[in-house]
Amino acid sequence: DQTERKRKFSLRSIWNALMYVIKTGCQWRMIPQSFPKWQLVYYYYRKWVCSELFDRILDVLRSKVRINQGQASQATLGIVDSQSVKWGTNRSVKSLDGYKKIKGIKRHIVVDENGFLLAIMATLAHVHDNSAAPRLMAALQECYANIKTILGDKGYRGAIIGTIKSKFNYLLQVASCNQSQAQSLKPVNQRWVVERTFAWFDNDRRLCRNYELLLKSSEEMVKLSAIKFLLKKL
């Protein structure tokens, strides 16, 4: 009988290296020698991405943190918004967001009432929120089926409300600020929590700009950042 090869490095050390990459924003080849070799770290990263491990970890951690806060393990309310992110390398995919004058990608996310990540989808920067909403809702439904109501800004107005209701049975409510709120910079209902989530992302240098060559990898880096935040909450 063949014996299983003994692992030279613990999975904990591999995971710590991934957290180092997220926090510092360093290149894979610049991972310090105190961690396993970068090739091994990247191998496990790709392996875990293909097995959708980050999605499962995110779901378990989010449920545990919600229970610790005296909430139900599964949320029924979601808040949706997008963030345009500048490109960080010439090789990364990019386009121009003409409204915000940003060349790069756009992160479309859905969070719960605490700001904890539920679903993420990355697109080119020129893609409008309305156009990305159906695919984002499909991603939300695959990993999180208990959402009933979703709050969004005026970027989600129009026929998309009926489309989301008919295809996914989500009630999309558009909340926009009036002139007095806009002048006083007061937050609108519960939608402010998604802006706070974007601020949490900016605490990790890997997410301040988009250094990923693929949109899929950009999504996985956001999930890792969300996992790191939830681990601190525990």
Side-chain angles (χ1 to χ4, degrees):
D1 296 337
Q2 294 182 352
T3 58
E4 183 179 356
R5 188 181 69 175
K6 186 177 180 180
R7 185 179 288 112
K8 184 177 180 180
F9 298 98
S10 67
L11 294 181
R12 179 65 177 269
S13 64
I14 302 293
W15 182 263
N16 289 340
L18 287 178
M19 295 296 100
Y20 182 87
V21 170
I22 290 293
K23 184 62 180 179
T24 64
C26 73
Q27 299 176 359
W28 292 104
R29 289 174 173 80
M30 299 298 292
I31 294 177
Q33 295 182 356
S34 56
F35 296 110
K37 291 184 178 180
W38 74 267
Q39 296 95 329
L40 183 63
V41 177
Y42 186 76
Y43 164 80
Y44 274 100
Y45 166 74
R46 294 304 310 169
K47 179 180 179 181
W48 291 338
V49 167
C50 293
S51 64
E52 298 182 350
L53 178 64
F54 299 150
D55 296 276
R56 298 196 296 271
I57 293 177
L58 186 60
D59 184 56
V60 171
L61 289 177
R62 185 178 54 243
S63 297
K64 287 187 176 182
V65 173
R66 288 179 57 88
I67 292 174
N68 290 345
Q69 293 181 350
Q71 301 172 336
S73 61
Q74 303 293 323
T76 58
L77 174 68
I79 302 99
V80 61
D81 205 350
S82 64
Q83 177 192 41
S84 295
V85 185
K86 293 182 179 179
W87 59 283
T89 171
N90 287 332
R91 295 188 298 166
S92 61
V93 294
K94 55 187 175 293
S95 67
L96 179 64
D97 181 350
Y99 180 73
K100 296 182 178 179
K101 309 300 182 187
I102 293 178
K103 180 182 288 188
I105 67 168
K106 187 178 287 186
R107 299 180 187 133
H108 306 265
I109 67 171
V110 182
V111 300
D112 66 4
E113 65 271 24
N114 304 301
F116 304 152
L117 184 68
L118 297 176
I120 165 72
M121 186 186 69
T123 66
L124 295 177
H126 73 273
V127 177
H128 193 271
D129 294 350
N130 260 346
S131 302
R135 286 186 293 162
L136 179 61
M137 295 302 110
L140 176 65
Q141 195 170 54
E142 288 180 2
C143 64
Y144 209 82
N146 291 335
I147 293 295
K148 298 178 181 178
T149 305
I150 298 177
L151 301 180
D153 60 16
K154 59 183 180 180
Y156 299 93
R157 293 179 299 182
I160 190 63
I161 297 177
T163 301
I164 291 177
K165 179 63 178 178
S166 61
K167 287 187 176 181
F168 307 102
N169 200 28
Y170 294 151
L171 177 60
L172 178 58
Q173 296 180 352
V174 177
S176 58
C177 60
N178 54 40
Q179 186 174 2
S180 61
Q181 285 178 315
Q183 292 175 351
S184 61
L185 300 180
K186 291 182 179 180
V188 181
N189 296 335
Q190 293 177 289
R191 278 204 304 107
W192 66 273
V193 299
V194 70
E195 301 295 343
R196 184 180 62 182
T197 303
F198 289 137
W200 290 341
F201 292 162
D202 288 340
N203 288 329
D204 294 326
R205 292 178 63 89
R206 188 78 179 195
L207 302 186
C208 292
R209 287 176 178 263
N210 179 51
Y211 296 100
E212 314 307 320
L213 301 184
L214 302 176
L215 293 174
K216 176 64 175 177
S217 186
S218 299
E219 296 171 358
E220 298 302 322
M221 287 297 172
V222 171
K223 294 175 186 176
L224 278 172
S225 178
I227 291 172
K228 183 170 71 67
F229 178 80
L230 288 174
L231 286 173
K232 292 181 179 179
K233 284 287 185 180
L234 289 177

